[in-house]
């Protein structure tokens, strides 16, 4: 999981650390939800405090351990100890990963209590400005998080310590804010073409395979990398082809796992539970 062993290379399924994070968030969330249910204002204040604490803890860890957030993309110029610290102290831990989950809890609560947070009484122009501003901020949040590392990645240069700490502390919470707005806008009828694309029916069968895709995709990548007989030379065309091939092979393998393992156990579970009733 994300606590032991500390080195993911020693784990059986090293990339399963995120499943542990998700489970830890799931176990903790009823506490926050109960506060939101009984004391809505205190609950929202608690979410805000947790959100800010997530950023603050990440800042403290990155500063204390001299961690560079660009360790992955600048491995050639980073000591291995820095990379290990980055993985163990920040990358795997739930207290540095919980920002988007906290945003999700807040958005879910707002949508559940839509009568409290309704914008129907707003003038049409004010509502339009609100949603346009929200989409602009969301695109800035998502784009800045995604492309902020472009220059250091291209030039293989370390970021300054201040910039590194800033990015390490806000990249995931800001990404969560962008996705939170996307969900809110689409749910309230202001998603436009984005909502039409994300709500298309062809995503449904793919979504049912997504969990197993997560479990097998690293194996597909390892199979390709470890069977190479010559060094890999990167260019745009080869990476696009490699990406599409990996996606197709991952979904194909996930389909086999779903049909051969997940679905039979799911049916056995239904039979077992029906007999108990």
């Amino acid at each position: 999981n994300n606590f032991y062993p500390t080195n993911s290379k020693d784990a059986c399924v090293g990339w399963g650390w995120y499943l542990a994070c998700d489970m830890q968030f799931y176990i903790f969330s009823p506490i926050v939800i109960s506060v939101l249910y009984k004391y809505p204002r205190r609950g929202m204040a608690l979410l805000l405090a947790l959100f800010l604490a997530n950023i603050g803890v990440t800042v403290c860890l990155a500063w204390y351990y001299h961690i560079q957030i660009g360790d992955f993309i600048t491995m050639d110029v980073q000591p291995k100890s820095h990379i290990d610290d980055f993985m163990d102290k920040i990358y795997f831990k739930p207290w540095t990963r919980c920002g988007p989950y906290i945003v999700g809890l807040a958005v879910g609560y707002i949508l559940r209590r839509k009568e409290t947070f309704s914008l129907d009484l707003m003038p049409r122009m004010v509502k339009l400005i609100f949603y346009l501003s929200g989409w602009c901020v969301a695109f800035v949040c998502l784009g800045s998080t995604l492309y902020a590392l472009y220059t250091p990645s291209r030039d293989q240069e370390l970021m300054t310590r201040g910039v590194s700490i800033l990015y390490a502390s806000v990249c995931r919470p800001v990404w969560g804010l962008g996705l939170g707005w996307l969900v809110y806008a689409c749910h309230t009828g202001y998603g436009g073409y984005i909502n039409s694309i994300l709500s298309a029916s062809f995503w449904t069968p793919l979504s049912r395979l997504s969990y197993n895709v997560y479990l097998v995709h690293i194996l597909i990548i390892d199979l390709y990398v470890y069977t190479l007989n010559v060094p890999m030379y990167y260019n745009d065309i080869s990476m696009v082809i490699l990406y599409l091939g990996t996606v197709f092979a991952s979904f194909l393998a996930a389909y086999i796992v779903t049909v051969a393992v997940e679905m039979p156990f799911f049916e056995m579970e239904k039979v077992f539970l029906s007999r108990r009733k």
Side-chain angles (χ1 to χ4, degrees):
N1 59 33
N2 53 344
F3 286 98
Y4 181 84
T6 57
N7 190 341
S8 62
K9 294 180 180 179
D10 297 331
C12 178
V13 182
W15 56 99
W17 62 268
Y18 193 75
L19 302 180
C21 271
D22 265 352
M23 191 65 191
Q24 289 152 8
F25 299 151
Y26 179 78
I27 293 172
F28 178 75
S29 61
I31 300 174
V32 179
I33 294 173
S34 63
V35 177
L36 279 170
Y37 179 77
K38 294 181 179 180
Y39 313 101
R41 292 184 179 180
R42 296 179 185 179
M44 293 300 288
L46 175 60
L47 286 176
L48 178 61
L50 291 173
F51 184 81
L52 296 177
N54 164 241
I55 297 175
V57 168
T58 309
V59 168
C60 293
L61 290 173
W63 177 82
Y64 182 80
Y65 290 103
H66 299 274
I67 292 175
Q68 291 286 123
I69 193 63
D71 285 337
F72 275 142
I73 61 174
T74 56
M75 286 185 176
D76 292 340
V77 293
Q78 282 281 42
K80 186 178 183 301
S81 59
H82 285 194
I83 299 174
D84 292 339
D85 282 340
F86 171 63
M87 299 294 291
D88 180 41
K89 303 299 190 304
I90 290 184
Y91 197 77
F92 290 155
K93 294 301 183 282
W95 42 80
T96 61
R97 284 274 176 180
C98 62
Y101 201 91
I102 294 170
V103 173
L105 287 175
V107 172
Y109 177 75
I110 291 173
L111 294 176
R112 179 65 178 84
R113 297 292 300 273
K114 57 184 178 181
E115 68 281 356
T116 304
F117 300 93
S118 176
L119 303 177
D120 293 338
L121 299 180
M122 281 187 176
R124 186 173 182 275
M125 183 58 64
V126 175
K127 188 187 299 186
L128 180 62
I129 293 174
F130 172 77
Y131 277 101
L132 286 176
S133 301
W135 275 113
C136 290
V137 172
F139 282 128
V140 170
C141 289
L142 297 173
S144 61
T145 303
L146 188 61
Y147 293 106
L149 297 179
Y150 173 74
T151 299
S153 175
R154 180 193 61 191
D155 300 336
Q156 285 292 291
E157 295 179 353
L158 292 175
M159 294 183 289
T160 63
R161 190 181 183 192
V163 173
S164 178
I165 292 175
L166 175 65
Y167 186 84
S169 59
V170 303
C171 64
R172 294 182 183 89
V174 167
W175 179 263
L177 288 173
L179 293 182
W181 171 262
L182 189 151
V183 172
Y184 175 80
C186 290
H187 187 83
T188 54
Y190 287 85
Y193 290 111
I194 294 178
N195 182 53
S196 300
I197 294 172
L198 295 179
S199 302
S201 59
F202 68 82
W203 295 115
T204 302
L206 298 179
S207 67
R208 293 173 180 170
L209 299 175
S210 60
Y211 178 73
N212 285 321
V213 169
Y214 176 78
L215 293 181
V216 304
H217 79 284
I218 294 293
L219 300 176
I220 301 297
I221 295 174
D222 285 346
L223 178 64
Y224 173 77
V225 172
Y226 293 141
T227 54
L228 287 175
N229 294 321
V230 294
M232 181 186 300
Y233 293 94
Y234 294 94
N235 59 62
D236 294 340
I237 298 300
S238 64
M239 292 308 299
V240 168
I241 294 175
L242 179 59
Y243 168 77
L244 294 176
T246 302
V247 169
F248 176 81
S250 298
F251 271 96
L252 178 61
Y255 175 77
I256 296 173
V257 173
T258 300
V259 173
V261 180
E262 183 177 349
M263 292 179 64
F265 274 93
F266 181 70
E267 293 299 323
M268 290 171 61
E269 181 183 17
K270 289 198 300 184
V271 171
F272 176 74
L273 293 178
S274 63
R275 288 182 178 178
R276 292 188 61 181
K277 293 180 181 180

